[in-house]
Amino acid sequence: MSEALASLPAVGPEVKRRDGATGDRIFNWVVMGCGLFVLAALLAAAISMAWGGLLAFRTFGFGFITGTEWDPVAQHFAGLVPIYGTLVTSALAMLIGVPISLGIAVFVTEVAPRWLRGPIGGAIELLAGIPSIIYGMWGLFTFAPFMSDYVQPALIDWLGPIPGIGLLFSGAPMGIGMLTSGIVLAIMIIPYISSVMRDVFLVVPAQLKESAYALGSTRWEVVRDIVIPHTRTAVVGGIFLGLGRALGETMAVTFVLGNTHNIAISLMEPGNSIAAAIANEFTEADTDIYLSSLIALGFILFVVTFIVLAAAKLMLLRMAKQRGE
Amino acid sequence: MLTNKLLSACLGAGLAAAFAVSASAADITGAGSTFVYPVLSKWSADYNKQTGDKLNYQSIGSGGGIAQIKAATVDFGASDAPMKPEDLSAGGFGQFPVVVGGIVPVINVKGIKSGELKLSGKVLADIYLGNVTKWNDKAIADLNPGLKLPDSQIAVVHRSDGSGTSFNWTNFFSKVNPDWKSKVGEGTAVNWPVGIGGKGNEGVAAYVTRVKDSIGYVEYAYALQNKLPYVLVENAAGQYPKPNADSFSAAAASAEWGKAQDFYLIMTNAPGEKAWPITATTWAIMYKEPKDAERSKAAFAFFKWALEKGQKEASSLDYVPLPETLVKQIEDYWTASFKG
């Protein structure tokens, strides 16, 4: 407590007070400019993509979203395959990445001995700094062979015969495909989610936690009933930051997804994603309608991301309402 | 005061820009095909040593190369697919081949060594159509009596990005398999009926190395570098030549360039006895009446040097020199079609 008091600015006769009105106004304008810049950039991106994709939307209509054909020779394009691939790989990434991130954050803030917190925190930040092309190459040359030799045959043997779930784990163990992409994406988004979670877990008032411990709560109960409810807004925010990255990730996915215009139930099968399709085909898209279709895919990715974020916001609002805030 | 400052700043910037322009005026600029990038960068280094002229080439893809030359932002565009004569004359362009290379099917099948497996173009296309799905399919077994073929699914690998390699590959299929022509067609990117897509030659090579019982196609140099077993493919004369410099140049020599207007000829399925059936070339596309004659002249000087002296370096990178008759035809075409 005394530390906090000492850090407050000393107010006394020796401090000269100036009229801050002008400075304050300039400051307001500057920060408002920064805020508007985000809106302007977002709006400009959305408009230019919608404009670029207009030709494709006009030509193919609603079928552009529901159709599965992608034929550059016949100049007929529809985007359901990459849309599906984007959603499935991102969902897989969240399914794997969120629990692990939560575990990391809880370990670092509540369980780990003090000397271990620094190194793990540093490792998380380093992981976030690795360029995605490195993840892609690692995924293709190191992780995909491991998946095809050990993980996928085991999954096919164990889970394949189960009715229902088995459909997800059928096919040839090629090492690349939806599952591998989901895992690589999960590794890529873990640093983002876990560092946000760690930072917000650290600001949970010690009195709350200590009171709970004093009442005999276990660590798990403290995390479940004190830490997470106290920080849920920020935690959900962190999760959606990771999801946004997973949806838009390009290079790593291009390497390990298989780039096939194909919708398959099995997670072992290759597929395509919006970002990967654009990265692969943009350079040689030599007709207007081809280029427009790729830009239209970009616009759809934009809309999907927007919907996801809006859903997150709604969820937070509802949670706040339930708690009567 | 303020205007003075502005003026001098503008002058300074203008001077700097002028200097930048004059410095780069000697540089030849080009953009396009990634297929020729290795040999162009080797040529440009040697040419720079000998003449002091520099070549600045951006390997952005064939489609991009054509777009750039249309916008006149570069001195030449390079494309793995030729432009049609009518498109050339509409835009005031001329085109000519620069270098020849081969595309080879590569496999990863246990027990089958390089050059042991023979496939006809039709069967190869049927594999890529998904009509032939097993390695011991009768169609394959009939072409390979005595070779022990495994009873396993064929994993097909193709390019995921648009590429001239795919263009020549699908062009060959369209010539030898009517089914392919009607269902898929040819192009730098097509709607592949089956298989997984690797990004770039290196991506396909990596997939074929990793995925068991797979087949893919790469430029010859990548097959050599990755030590991938290749497949022999039947040519138009019914022979199975080995893919190497000899069979590539045999294809280039046997192709009927003399009859092709603006060198609009795709070399796949060339008629020669020893011709490798999937041989490809890259075209340079230039304005016939360029706005900047000086720079265009510099570009021609470079290509003349490349065609006459630079072909040895091309062979060291596993490209194939153009046959002498073709070089002669190209030089005649230059004097006939281009100004300056």
Side-chain angles (χ1 to χ4, degrees):
Chain A
M1 279 311 267
S2 58
E3 265 177 41
L5 273 178
S7 68
L8 283 172
V11 182
E14 69 274 15
V15 178
K16 273 189 187 163
R17 289 191 148 261
R18 282 188 302 169
D19 176 24
T22 322
D24 209 31
R25 217 173 302 135
I26 294 172
F27 177 75
N28 277 350
W29 282 111
V30 168
V31 291
M32 194 200 280
C34 295
L36 288 179
F37 171 75
V38 178
L39 281 180
L42 192 74
L43 210 64
I47 290 172
S48 62
M49 276 193 286
W51 184 251
L54 197 62
L55 181 64
F57 287 125
R58 263 212 199 125
T59 314
F60 305 119
F62 198 64
F64 189 79
I65 301 170
T66 53
T68 55
E69 195 187 0
W70 186 269
D71 189 342
V73 178
Q75 302 283 315
H76 193 281
F77 302 99
L80 187 62
V81 174
I83 295 169
Y84 173 81
T86 302
L87 293 176
V88 171
T89 51
S90 297
L92 276 173
M94 300 313 284
L95 217 62
I96 300 163
V98 170
I100 294 178
S101 304
L102 186 65
I104 292 173
V106 169
F107 179 73
V108 170
T109 55
E110 302 296 326
V111 182
R114 207 159 267 285
W115 60 267
L116 199 56
R117 293 180 186 186
I120 291 184
I124 293 172
E125 271 136 35
L126 270 178
L127 213 55
I130 298 175
S132 64
I133 182 100
I134 303 290
Y135 280 105
M137 288 165 67
W138 170 81
L140 177 59
F141 292 112
T142 311
F143 188 61
F146 173 75
M147 288 290 286
S148 100
D149 290 345
Y150 303 105
V151 181
Q152 290 186 337
L155 286 176
I156 292 168
D157 286 350
W158 293 344
L159 302 174
I162 305 171
I165 303 173
L167 284 177
L168 293 175
F169 299 98
S170 59
M174 285 195 296
I176 48 178
M178 296 281 190
L179 183 63
T180 309
S181 302
I183 296 174
V184 171
L185 276 179
I187 297 169
M188 295 179 70
I189 61 173
I190 281 171
Y192 291 83
I193 304 179
S194 61
S195 63
V196 169
M197 285 183 175
R198 182 197 57 177
D199 289 349
V200 296
F201 286 180
L202 282 175
V203 300
V204 175
Q207 299 95 315
L208 285 180
K209 288 193 282 184
E210 272 155 25
S211 314
Y213 283 128
L215 290 172
S217 300
T218 60
R219 272 190 178 138
W220 164 238
E221 284 165 341
V222 169
V223 169
R224 191 189 59 191
D225 297 330
I226 307 290
V227 175
I228 291 179
H230 194 83
T231 56
R232 70 174 102 198
T233 317
V235 165
V236 173
I239 289 173
F240 281 91
L241 188 73
L243 179 56
R245 184 172 160 86
L247 284 169
E249 177 47 44
T250 311
M251 285 322 293
V253 175
T254 306
F255 273 83
V256 293
L257 187 51
N259 304 305
T260 307
H261 273 284
N262 163 39
I263 291 186
I265 295 169
S266 172
L267 300 178
M268 308 285 175
E269 292 282 329
N272 210 343
S273 83
I274 293 177
I278 295 173
N280 271 319
E281 297 178 32
F282 204 73
T283 47
E284 294 288 337
D286 42 10
T287 57
D288 290 342
I289 186 73
Y290 196 175
L291 201 60
S292 176
S293 297
L294 287 171
I295 297 171
L297 275 185
F299 181 70
I300 290 174
L301 180 60
F302 191 85
V303 173
V304 167
T305 313
F306 181 80
I307 291 173
V308 162
L309 293 180
K313 198 82 206 163
L314 269 178
M315 202 170 98
L316 284 177
L317 280 175
R318 262 201 17 218
M319 275 167 23
K321 224 181 201 173
Q322 274 171 4
R323 277 175 292 155
E325 283 165 16
Chain B
M1 201 40 206
L2 190 68
T3 43
N4 262 345
K5 253 187 189 166
L6 266 176
L7 204 67
S8 61
C10 286
L11 265 177
L15 272 177
F19 272 120
V21 167
S22 70
S24 66
D27 290 4
I28 309 154
T29 56
S33 158
T34 49
F35 178 81
V36 288
Y37 178 64
V39 66
L40 271 181
S41 54
K42 176 98 172 84
W43 279 344
S44 103
D46 291 350
Y47 189 66
N48 186 26
K49 249 184 247 157
Q50 290 182 18
T51 65
D53 279 0
K54 265 191 199 158
L55 170 72
N56 178 6
Y57 183 74
Q58 303 157 20
S59 60
I60 53 173
S62 298
I66 291 176
Q68 295 274 299
I69 188 71
K70 274 185 178 161
T73 51
V74 289
D75 298 326
F76 70 91
S79 171
D80 300 331
M83 280 174 80
K84 290 197 181 95
E86 58 263 34
D87 293 342
L88 285 170
S89 59
F93 301 112
Q95 72 183 359
F96 52 88
V98 179
V99 73
V100 171
I103 298 159
V104 295
V106 288
I107 53 167
N108 174 5
V109 183
K110 217 177 174 185
I112 301 182
K113 290 194 203 68
S114 203
E116 280 189 346
L117 186 72
K118 291 177 176 176
L119 291 174
S120 66
K122 188 182 174 305
V123 172
L124 200 53
D126 274 336
I127 292 174
Y128 272 77
L129 272 172
N131 294 343
V132 171
T133 56
K134 286 209 159 180
W135 279 111
N136 62 354
D137 190 285
K138 194 173 173 306
I140 301 177
D142 284 351
L143 292 169
N144 297 280
L147 191 63
K148 207 172 165 293
L149 295 160
D151 176 27
S152 52
Q153 292 282 330
I154 302 174
V156 171
V157 183
H158 54 73
R159 288 282 289 268
S160 63
D161 46 340
S163 90
T165 315
S166 291
F167 169 76
N168 283 287
W169 184 250
T170 53
N171 171 275
F172 174 58
F173 283 179
S174 294
K175 281 180 181 167
V176 295
N177 190 319
D179 236 18
W180 180 276
K181 191 172 183 177
S182 63
K183 280 190 190 148
V184 185
E186 61 183 60
T188 53
V190 299
N191 185 18
W192 299 99
V194 290
I196 51 175
K199 189 163 165 52
N201 275 294
E202 61 280 10
V204 171
Y207 277 176
V208 173
T209 314
R210 301 275 33 130
V211 180
K212 287 181 200 100
D213 300 315
S214 59
I215 184 166
Y217 58 93
V218 291
E219 278 157 34
Y220 180 57
Y222 285 89
L224 288 187
Q225 282 159 19
N226 293 288
K227 296 192 178 66
L228 288 166
Y230 56 76
V231 177
L232 298 182
V233 183
E234 185 185 29
N235 65 16
Q239 303 293 315
Y240 287 91
K242 275 197 173 135
N244 54 32
D246 292 341
S247 62
F248 301 155
S249 67
S254 74
E256 292 173 315
W257 293 104
K259 287 183 190 164
Q261 193 194 347
D262 290 317
F263 300 101
Y264 183 75
L265 182 149
I266 295 141
M267 265 196 290
T268 56
N269 215 25
E273 283 266 315
K274 288 177 185 154
W276 177 252
I278 323 161
T279 307
T281 187
T282 300
W283 286 260
I285 300 162
M286 293 173 70
Y287 277 103
K288 285 185 174 171
E289 292 176 31
K291 283 187 198 105
D292 191 338
E294 279 297 303
R295 299 176 56 120
S296 197
K297 210 182 234 174
F300 275 119
F302 170 75
F303 281 119
K304 193 170 162 57
W305 176 88
L307 289 183
E308 288 172 0
K309 306 219 171 83
Q311 297 284 333
K312 242 183 235 144
E313 274 124 24
S315 343
S316 74
L317 292 169
D318 299 312
Y319 294 84
V320 176
L322 298 181
E324 266 173 45
T325 49
L326 181 56
V327 172
K328 181 84 184 40
Q329 281 167 5
I330 292 171
E331 287 177 348
D332 289 346
Y333 176 76
W334 285 351
T335 43
S337 306
F338 289 93
K339 278 201 174 169

